[in-house]
Amino acid sequence: MRWPASSEPFPVPHRALGRLRDAARLHLGFAALAALCLVSSTLGSAAALLMRPARRGPFARRLICWIFGTHLRLMERLGAVRLDLSALDTLEGEPPLVLAPNHPSMIDAALMLSRLTRLTCVMKADILENPLFGVGARMAGYITNDPPRQMMRAAGDSLQDGRHLLLFPEGTRTRQRPLNALQRTAGVIARRAGVPVQTLIIETSSPFLCKGWPLFRAPAMPLVYRVRLGRRFDPPADVEAFTSELEAYFQQELATARLPPLPLPPDAR
């Protein structure tokens, strides 16, 4: 039997319920990541004190891989994300490489860290001061991008030690589609270390945490992320020519890639 119209409760639109559900999943995900980082950093730091110094870096990198892998699996179970990261698994046993992805969103590094245990990241210096990520990043031997000469030297040492180096050639998240003008850094490091540059193509369905997206604005879910292997370039002899070739390659690949529009105009900061 149907209630009289005057007695019907106000209907809640499906879109409103969906937004509430997505917001809840987003904040639960942030809380879970914070808890994983805090607990793992505390226990990991205590465990590292009992290890020989040479073992602390590999231990920290495996721990970071576990943290981000666990977090992304949780988000998958919540229905917040759908991931296709299987291409990254093929790189785990590879010799040293400079990994050069496009950089659509803030999540990109986490996708790589969730699958690769021998990964060294080049990151902004202020991340080392972050209470959630700084302790683990320092233990893992991650590299700050300033000052540049010190960064180049540390990156070369990491590659000579047999690790992979994650470096975003755009230098920051994409400000204009399909990508920003590329920096020379990847070519300089690859030439000095004598290692190939493996490109990676990141595709996503959502502008979530792209340049200009507020951190706590909930997106429509599920978010879809796919990482596929691109072309592998030999160590360059001419850095300028290599950078131009690399940019032309990305322009071609990303022209048909699945990428969302940017939340703000290209010149937004």
Side-chain angles (χ1 to χ4, degrees), residues 175-176 211 262 264-269:
R175 297 180 185 275
Q176 56 185 8
K211 203 71 171 179
L262 290 169
L264 292 180
D267 60 349
R269 293 180 180 272

Side-chain angles (χ1 to χ4, degrees), residues 202-237:
I202 300 175
E203 297 180 284
T204 178
S205 66
S206 172
F208 178 60
L209 295 185
C210 291
K211 203 71 171 179
W213 185 281
L215 182 61
F216 290 103
R217 180 197 291 173
M221 296 182 178
L223 310 172
V224 178
Y225 295 95
R226 178 191 181 205
V227 179
R228 56 185 171 89
L229 299 184
R231 177 180 167 187
R232 184 173 298 186
F233 291 82
D234 292 331

